[in-house]
Amino acid sequence: MTRYHSKKLLLASAAFAILSGQAFALDGQDLLAKINAAYAAGSGVLKAESIEVNGNDVVLKGTTFTATGPHRKSYMLGNLTLQDVTEEDGGAYHVDRIEFPEINVTEEKNSLNVKDLYLAGVRVPGNTASEGLSSMMVYEEAHSGPITVTTDGKQVFAIKEASGTVTLSEDESSLSFEGSVSGINADLTSLEDATSKDAINALGLQTVNGEVSVSGSWEPASGTIDLEEYAFDFADIGRLSLSFALSGYTLDLVKQLQETARTMQADPQNEQAQQAAGIAMFGLMQQMSFKSAQISFEDAGITKRGLDYAGKQQGSTGEQMAQMVKGLLPILLAQARLGALQNEISEAVNTFIDDPQNITITAEPEKDVPFPMIMGAAMGAPESVPELLGVSVSAND
């Protein structure tokens, strides 16, 4: 009797294990469908010839990504491995890591190679119509290893590494992001145009080396987006840094803009539809307000070389060209109708040209300025815009 009950217990346990395994097995088709639903805003579709589920891993075999829009084009991605996939509340998924195969593309004389591509900590929403950041596909890290471009077997462009991270706040009410591209190298000596080659040699730009970095944050509820820094830093040229802050860039506005963009892409040949969609997009942008902005350039030698080259083209010296620029600037600024800011710009530019260190343009109004107000001022009284936005210019700070 005991053996009989034991046998029934073993059979029941085995049946339960099989049934529960089937019940909790990952649905690869559902995962791909939700990835496409989340990525629909990005104007593209990911397709797979077949889907294989191995435990917590999902392999999308023979994948292609098709970009929609007027220049529709498909890209072969090969097999994508989605590692350690777990299903979360509300039908959402969390993917620990997505590995991409190495990219090798050759078209005529040009070749592209990209290695070590992956996404980590990817969250796929269960419902793109839900509220807040839970409706968006978000990753914790995006990474690319070496990228090289060759022409006729010669390397003309390369990147050592590119990476980006996104961090959600604990209550998921906001996110912050950082990114960098390091080891940028561009070889401009292969340009055949004589005028371009002469300028490149004069400016010392035979090879360009540098890096790019970006950081910022976004709070969807208030629509406050703060691009703290977007910097381009190149050796023997300089460092250009941009930053701005806007309000009103809510998640609802983002989705409306995306929907309008999809409408424009759906019928690119219909001029009336394109114009109507363009007007609608412009109207949506009016919901935003300007908070602040700054553009700063730190010179690393390019200014003097640029003046020397421009002077040579005019049959004069760099010093003479500098004096010419300083003399012409007030005339050009007067035509721009910038009001009191004109003298401030002239003083800053003169200071920078005499001793190229840095120059900064800052716009920081006392309170947020709605975009419609800026547009109205620009059309009706352009000289009032600098004061409206709190614009100032300084050099060699």
Side-chain angles (χ1 to χ4, degrees):
M1 193 72 167
T2 304
R3 289 180 60 189
Y4 175 74
H5 283 294
S6 298
K7 188 175 182 180
K8 285 183 65 177
L9 181 61
L10 288 172
L11 288 173
S13 299
F16 176 77
I18 294 171
L19 292 172
S20 63
Q22 292 175 343
F24 294 103
L26 288 169
D27 186 340
Q29 293 287 354
D30 181 62
L31 173 58
L32 179 58
K34 287 177 178 175
I35 288 175
N36 278 320
Y39 197 76
S43 302
V45 178
L46 186 68
K47 294 183 178 180
E49 293 178 356
S50 63
I51 300 176
E52 183 179 292
V53 178
N54 299 316
N56 288 336
D57 293 347
V58 177
V59 182
L60 306 179
K61 294 190 173 182
T63 57
T64 58
F65 176 77
T66 302
T68 57
H71 304 291
R72 184 184 181 92
K73 188 174 182 180
S74 295
Y75 302 89
M76 293 293 299
L77 300 180
N79 296 343
L80 301 185
T81 303
L82 285 63
Q83 301 176 0
D84 195 14
V85 180
T86 55
E87 191 168 2
E88 301 182 336
D89 294 340
Y93 290 93
H94 182 275
V95 185
D96 186 65
R97 190 180 178 97
I98 302 177
E99 296 277 359
F100 293 83
E102 182 176 334
I103 296 175
N104 281 293
V105 179
T106 300
E107 292 185 0
E108 298 180 351
K109 298 179 180 181
N110 303 312
S111 297
L112 169 69
N113 177 262
V114 186
K115 299 179 180 178
D116 198 17
L117 279 168
Y118 67 80
L119 292 173
V122 181
R123 189 182 68 181
V124 182
N127 181 8
T128 57
S130 59
E131 297 295 326
L133 292 172
S134 61
S135 66
M136 299 179 63
M137 185 161 64
V138 181
Y139 62 82
E140 294 177 3
E141 180 186 8
H143 179 271
S144 169
I147 301 174
T148 56
V149 178
T150 60
T151 299
D152 287 330
K154 179 183 178 182
Q155 179 178 298
V156 295
F157 181 79
I159 289 174
K160 183 179 180 181
E161 184 179 36
S163 64
T165 60
V166 176
T167 304
L168 292 176
S169 61
E170 290 187 8
D171 60 0
E172 297 193 356
S173 63
S174 64
L175 60 80
S176 59
F177 54 88
E178 292 184 350
S180 65
V181 181
S182 61
I184 300 174
N185 178 273
D187 184 349
L188 304 182
T189 58
S190 59
L191 291 177
E192 298 179 356
D193 180 71
T195 302
S196 299
K197 189 179 288 289
D198 181 53
I200 287 169
N201 291 333
L203 296 173
L205 300 178
Q206 294 88 345
T207 58
V208 177
N209 299 282
E211 60 185 22
V212 178
S213 59
V214 61
S215 63
S217 62
W218 180 39
E219 187 181 85
S222 66
T224 299
I225 182 167
D226 185 2
L227 185 67
E228 297 169 1
E229 184 177 61
Y230 194 1
F232 303 81
D233 193 351
F234 289 89
D236 301 321
I237 297 177
R239 187 175 193 274
L240 177 66
S241 177
L242 315 172
S243 67
F244 67 81
L246 306 172
S247 63
Y249 192 71
T250 62
L251 190 58
D252 182 56
L253 175 59
V254 172
K255 292 181 177 180
Q256 291 181 64
L257 291 171
Q258 291 169 344
E259 182 61 35
T260 304
R262 284 195 293 272
T263 301
M264 296 177 72
Q265 293 168 353
D267 193 4
Q269 304 304 321
N270 189 325
E271 292 186 7
Q272 290 185 341
Q274 292 292 305
Q275 291 176 356
I279 293 172
M281 184 170 289
F282 181 76
L284 291 171
M285 297 290 286
Q286 302 303 302
Q287 299 178 35
M288 296 192 297
S289 295
F290 178 86
K291 295 177 72 69
S292 65
Q294 186 176 85
I295 302 175
S296 179
F297 177 70
E298 297 178 20
D299 182 74
I302 192 65
T303 302
K304 185 179 184 306
R305 297 197 302 274
L307 289 170
D308 288 342
Y309 175 69
K312 183 179 179 182
Q313 295 298 106
Q314 299 293 325
S316 60
T317 65
E319 289 77 7
Q320 291 171 328
M321 176 55 64
Q323 296 305 315
M324 186 183 301
V325 171
K326 291 164 64 175
L328 288 174
L329 186 61
I331 300 174
L332 296 175
L333 291 174
Q335 296 176 353
R337 298 171 60 188
L338 296 176
L341 185 64
Q342 176 179 329
N343 294 333
E344 191 173 323
I345 294 175
S346 294
E347 182 179 349
V349 171
N350 290 347
T351 299
F352 178 76
I353 288 178
D354 289 340
D355 181 18
Q357 295 181 36
N358 60 75
I359 188 166
T360 302
I361 303 172
T362 302
E364 195 167 5
E366 294 182 0
K367 59 182 180 180
D368 297 2
V369 183
F371 275 24
M373 185 180 294
I374 298 174
M375 296 299 296
M379 291 185 290
E383 68 278 3
S384 68
V385 174
E387 184 177 356
L388 178 67
L389 298 182
V391 179
S392 61
V393 184
S394 62
N396 299 350
D397 295 331

